[in-house]
Amino acid sequence: MRHFVIGTAGHVDHGKTTLVRALTGVDTDRLPEEKARGISIELGFAPLDLGGGLHASIVDVPGHRRLVRTMIAGAAGIELVMLVVAADEGVMPQTREHVAVCELLGIEHAVIVVNKADAVDAELAQLAGEDARGLLGGRWHASVVTCSAKTGEGIDRLKEALRGALRALPPAPSRHHARLGVDRLFSVRGAGTVVTGTLVGGAVGVGDTLYVIGGRESRPTAARGLHVHDAAVQRVEAPTRLAINLAGVALDEVHRGDVVTGDPHLRPTRAVDLLVRGKHGLKRGAAITAYAGTASTAARVDAVQVVDGGAVVRVRLSRSTPLTGGDRVVLRGGVGGPSGAVVGGGIVVDAHPDRRASG
């Protein structure tokens, strides 16, 4: 049985959280502030059993433009996007920025969900779907489903579309060592520190030796216990949402953005070389923010070397970040453009470049 990770994406107030509740019965807005304001602020999570051995974790991301950092943290490790577009509004600014982020993370499979179909006539709903499909273009494998999370209309069609999209996904890339970016952490009485995140590679078993990689050091630990959506498990393979009870690690010794891994050689870095494909808005000396997994840090572009089909960009990080070759990094600037504040991003080709090579 394979487990999948599905992520929502889309503009604020287009109904992502209501849609997840209609699919799973779980309200992913946990915080009182989220209830009061009616918008998601933190990441939400829900299990989805689609039958036929198809089990998925849904990561529900906030849609507000000020919470893109949280959205990127949630998107790390997802395989399939539910791109939610309101039938009465169509593609909006955060729709575009979320799609740009997903593309830079290497995601190319989506189900476009035209939500709030009860609010408009069929023609307007169809136009919203065509608008979203046009945004994805030929770069994505995507289908379109029209529904209403409020009335339940079309939810069964959406489940069928998700089944088809999950079955069409290629096998998850293999990675020898377990790896999870921390997006939540808390303490449980009698158990100690628990971290959660998306296991993006490898496998973890109870008792396995692990390492918490932060900004400065690698701290050895072990998996005292594992939970997938509140159910205890003895062993789990990527990709899946996972909570790990860490042995011998105090709550203040781990932070959001840290990496929990079985790789003893992974170490943080202050500079990386990225292979950036296609058009980008990166210039030497530009001040940016770099997002990798669940971590983010202020950064600067040190060098841009044009190569066939793109550029190799040296990025200097203000805070040490655990990275290795093949990792994907999203770069955002302070000025919004067609894709919001996203100015580029790419794949790490050298996680520890020679400092003398910058120029």
Side-chain angles (χ1 to χ4, degrees), residues 261-279:
T261 180
D263 183 359
H265 304 297
L266 181 66
R267 55 193 176 99
T269 182
R270 291 288 296 273
V272 292
D273 284 348
L274 302 178
L275 177 60
V276 178
R277 295 291 190 187
K279 296 180 180 180

Side-chain angles (χ1 to χ4, degrees), residues 21-39:
R21 185 167 61 243
L23 283 169
T24 67
V26 176
D27 185 354
T28 57
D29 281 347
R30 311 178 313 273
L31 304 178
E33 186 178 357
E34 292 176 316
K35 303 289 189 184
R37 296 176 61 184
I39 64 171

Side-chain angles (χ1 to χ4, degrees), residues 206-328:
V206 173
D208 284 0
T209 298
L210 297 170
Y211 303 87
V212 178
I213 315 295
R216 296 183 179 179
E217 61 184 354
S218 171
R219 183 179 299 276
T221 181
R224 290 181 59 182
L226 304 171
H227 283 76
V228 175
H229 294 297
D230 297 325
V233 295
Q234 289 298 306
R235 182 174 176 81
V236 63
E237 295 184 358
T240 189
R241 289 293 305 175
L242 181 63
I244 308 177
N245 180 199
L246 299 176
V249 177
L251 189 62
D252 61 0
E253 293 175 331
V254 61
H255 304 87
R256 183 173 183 168
D258 288 354
V259 171
V260 178
T261 180
D263 183 359
H265 304 297
L266 181 66
R267 55 193 176 99
T269 182
R270 291 288 296 273
V272 292
D273 284 348
L274 302 178
L275 177 60
V276 178
R277 295 291 190 187
K279 296 180 180 180
H280 60 84
L282 298 168
K283 296 181 179 180
R284 183 178 179 183
I288 53 175
T289 303
Y291 302 80
T294 59
S296 64
T297 179
R300 184 183 74 247
V301 176
D302 264 10
V304 179
Q305 180 183 353
V306 177
V307 297
D308 186 28
V312 174
V313 179
R314 171 71 53 83
V315 178
R316 187 77 55 185
L317 308 173
S318 66
R319 184 169 63 247
S320 295
T321 303
L323 287 168
T324 190
D327 287 351
R328 290 182 177 268

